[in-house]
Amino acid sequence: MKTIPLILAAFTLLTCAYATANPVTNCDNDANMHLLDQQYEHAIQTSNEAFLTELLTDNFSWIHTLAKNIESKSMLLTRINKTDYDRPILRESEFKNIQRSGDTVVVSGISSVTKHRPSSDSSGTQQRVYEYYFSRTYVQINDTCKLLSSMTMKISERNQ
């Protein structure tokens, strides 16, 4: 039974790796927005600085839970490239809503982030899943779909 989740995770990683190598450039339809947002999640997970540099606007901001932390583009790129970056094992999104107004698209849903955490017993580490509500604002600038802002709010945590 455990092989099915592993196969699905491997398929998701391969799909995202291909998609990140071939980024979406247009915000014009919902399928593109789903794919682009998956590419963003994968780029955060894998510290893909080149992809994020192209995707994020220069004035990008990421507002974390209750504004405990607000990251700019340069702060995010610095964080994901640190040697002690707490790299997620997996990042997955469940899309709830896509709203459009002119050249602006807001994508929202639930993001699940799986990380290694120390266990409370002597077994070493365990996986912990953190769930966040997210709302990301994309904007079409000339021939490119860019991420202008992201807001995440932690909603739950569970051990696996």
Side-chain angles (χ1 to χ4, degrees):
M1 289 303 279
K2 290 189 176 193
T3 57
I4 292 173
L6 291 175
I7 291 169
L8 289 173
F11 177 74
T12 300
L13 288 174
L14 288 173
T15 302
C16 288
Y18 171 78
T20 305
N22 299 289
V24 170
T25 58
N26 201 315
C27 299
D28 66 348
N29 64 64
D30 289 359
N32 279 357
M33 296 314 305
H34 282 278
L35 180 57
L36 185 58
D37 207 68
Q38 288 173 342
Q39 291 172 337
Y40 167 74
E41 290 278 12
H42 184 69
I44 295 292
Q45 177 185 346
T46 61
S47 300
N48 187 336
E49 181 179 9
F51 180 82
L52 291 170
T53 297
E54 289 300 314
L55 177 65
L56 307 178
T57 61
D58 289 339
N59 60 338
F60 168 81
S61 64
W62 183 348
I63 302 168
H64 297 265
T65 303
L66 299 175
K68 287 182 183 177
N69 185 23
I70 300 174
E71 280 183 302
S72 66
K73 178 179 183 175
S74 64
M75 291 167 70
L76 173 60
L77 295 175
T78 298
R79 177 171 63 91
I80 67 168
N81 283 304
K82 287 184 176 180
T83 55
D84 64 345
Y85 173 53
D86 188 14
R87 186 176 316 279
I89 300 165
L90 186 62
R91 291 184 66 97
E92 298 177 299
S93 293
E94 178 185 337
F95 299 98
K96 299 290 186 186
N97 195 20
I98 295 179
Q99 296 174 275
R100 298 175 174 282
S101 181
D103 290 337
T104 303
V105 182
V106 177
V107 178
S108 60
I110 305 295
S111 183
S112 297
V113 179
T114 305
K115 294 185 174 187
H116 285 296
R117 289 293 177 256
S119 66
S120 57
D121 58 25
S122 61
S123 65
T125 62
Q126 63 188 17
Q127 290 184 0
R128 190 162 292 155
V129 179
Y130 301 90
E131 292 183 319
Y132 300 88
Y133 170 80
F134 71 86
S135 179
R136 293 191 265 270
T137 303
Y138 292 88
V139 62
Q140 185 75 35
I141 301 173
N142 300 322
D143 295 332
T144 307
C145 190
K146 298 276 197 175
L147 180 55
L148 175 64
S149 68
S150 178
M151 186 279 302
T152 52
M153 175 73 64
K154 187 174 180 182
I155 54 177
S156 70
E157 174 182 324
R158 66 181 186 277
N159 294 334
Q160 287 192 332

